[in-house]
Amino acid sequence: MKIMLLNGPNLNMTGMREPDIYGRTGYEEMMAQVEKAAQSRGHHLTCFQSNHEGALIDEIQRAWRENYDGIIINPGALTHYSYALRDALASVPIPAVEVHLSNIHNREEFRHRSVTAAVCIGQIAGFGYQGYILAMDALHAGKAVKKRSGEK
Ligand code: DQA
């Protein structure tokens, strides 16, 4: 599968930023581990991180133009309020899985709400960077189900 992995604001600080919440593995190392998992499964993975909402939206639109099969996205704090990101995900007919390193549901109240999850096929939260690998497998499983039921 051709998969785009998007990370939003401050995810590049992972490892240094609030390690008790987000873990001690740095961003580059996390992505290297996810890339390794993608390779072993025969997926083509493109990783992109930005602190800017518009740059993430541009990548979502690019994923459509370039026929990606799936999107994995950790929108960071944009999760909780970005209708623009939500609309971008809703605009493209590509299945997306939302990932959070931490369990946003047992944290501050404002993190409980995701405006983007409803336009994703599902959400994975609380498993650290393993969540990205679980999301990859979820996209693949979803595709297999569609194939069996005759959908494109
Ligand atoms: C996060 C959770 C968000 O609430 C927070 O703003 C982040 C990271 C996570 O991966 O747990 O930046 O998306």
Side-chain angles (χ1 to χ4, degrees):
M1 286 179 83
K2 202 171 157 188
I3 298 171
M4 183 170 278
L5 169 49
L6 301 174
N7 277 290
N10 301 306
L11 270 306
N12 57 321
M13 296 287 286
T14 308
M16 295 170 274
R17 162 198 194 210
E18 302 182 88
D20 292 341
I21 297 173
Y22 298 118
R24 282 163 216 284
T25 309
Y27 174 75
E28 298 297 335
E29 177 58 22
M30 282 195 317
M31 291 305 106
Q33 293 297 331
V34 180
E35 176 63 51
K36 212 163 101 186
Q39 271 178 23
S40 73
R41 289 158 169 78
H43 300 315
H44 168 88
L45 188 73
T46 302
C47 299
F48 178 81
Q49 187 277 330
S50 180
N51 294 325
H52 305 279
E53 187 181 39
L56 295 163
I57 293 169
D58 287 344
E59 284 306 292
I60 291 168
Q61 294 178 0
R62 186 168 78 80
W64 187 23
R65 285 195 306 276
E66 299 185 7
N67 293 310
Y68 275 75
D69 301 303
I71 293 174
I72 298 169
I73 184 163
N74 181 347
L78 294 171
T79 305
H80 314 301
Y81 66 88
S82 175
Y83 296 121
L85 197 58
R86 176 194 167 114
D87 283 353
L89 288 166
S91 300
V92 299
I94 308 174
V97 178
E98 181 172 305
V99 172
H100 298 285
L101 300 171
S102 63
N103 181 355
I104 56 172
H105 302 287
N106 67 10
R107 298 184 60 198
E108 302 95 319
E109 187 90 36
F110 76 90
R111 295 187 203 275
H112 297 179
R113 175 166 176 256
S114 167
V115 302
T116 44
V119 293
C120 292
I121 55 174
Q123 183 195 67
I124 296 169
F127 297 98
Y129 74 82
Q130 286 294 331
Y132 297 114
I133 299 169
L134 295 170
M136 195 184 291
D137 291 342
L139 283 171
H140 187 248
K143 195 173 162 107
V145 169
K146 276 195 168 178
K147 251 192 196 153
R148 277 199 300 275
S149 64
E151 281 180 56
K152 215 179 133 235

